[in-house]
């Protein structure tokens, strides 16, 4: 099922509303959040999300573009990749 899962990594200076804005984009694009981890290190926010796009009617490309846009609005770095690619990169 990892072909329908995506990994979202968010990092940058902490501010109010990061989780809400990223989650709102995922909800709009019908991405189910399956897991979320976040931490704050000396004012630096880092979050990892595992999403599932199986029931989304939107292509991965559109979801990625929407998340990149919210990242720019927040002044945060957001990386989005398919879990199967993420897994393969870490198996090499």
């Amino acid at each position: 099922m990892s072909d329908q899962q995506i990994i979202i990594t968010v990092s940058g200076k902490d501010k109010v509303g990061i989780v809400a804005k990223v989650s709102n984009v995922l909800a709009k694009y019908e991405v189910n959040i399956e897991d979320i981890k976040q931490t704050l290190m000396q004012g630096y926010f880092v979050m990892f999300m595992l999403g599932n796009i199986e029931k989304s009617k939107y292509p991965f490309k559109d979801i990625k573009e929407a998340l990149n846009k919210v990242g720019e609005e927040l002044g945060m770095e957001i990386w989005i990749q398919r879990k199967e690619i993420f897994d393969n990169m870490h198996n090499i």
Side-chain angles (χ1 to χ4, degrees):
M1 166 103 76
S2 69
D3 63 325
Q4 297 297 313
Q5 291 178 308
I6 60 174
I7 302 284
I8 302 135
T9 307
V10 181
S11 65
K13 190 170 178 180
D14 189 35
K15 60 188 73 162
V16 173
I18 299 167
V19 176
K21 288 186 180 182
V22 173
S23 297
N24 282 336
V25 169
L26 295 175
K28 178 180 176 183
Y29 284 84
E30 301 169 355
V31 177
N32 186 41
I33 298 170
E34 295 183 340
D35 199 358
I36 181 171
K37 303 276 188 258
Q38 68 181 52
T39 191
L40 188 61
M41 298 181 296
Q42 298 180 354
Y44 200 72
F45 178 88
V46 180
M47 176 172 66
F48 300 98
M49 301 175 96
L50 176 64
N52 191 309
I53 60 173
E54 182 177 14
K55 295 183 179 173
S56 175
K57 63 180 173 245
Y58 300 94
F60 174 75
K61 180 178 179 263
D62 291 357
I63 297 165
K64 186 172 184 172
E65 287 173 3
L67 287 168
N68 283 329
K69 183 178 179 203
V70 83
E72 289 174 15
E73 292 169 4
L74 288 166
M76 309 284 289
E77 293 286 335
I78 299 184
W79 297 274
I80 308 98
Q81 57 188 325
R82 292 186 179 275
K83 184 176 182 296
E84 64 184 343
I85 293 171
F86 182 86
D87 290 344
N88 288 333
M89 283 178 18
H90 291 87
N91 285 333
I92 294 175

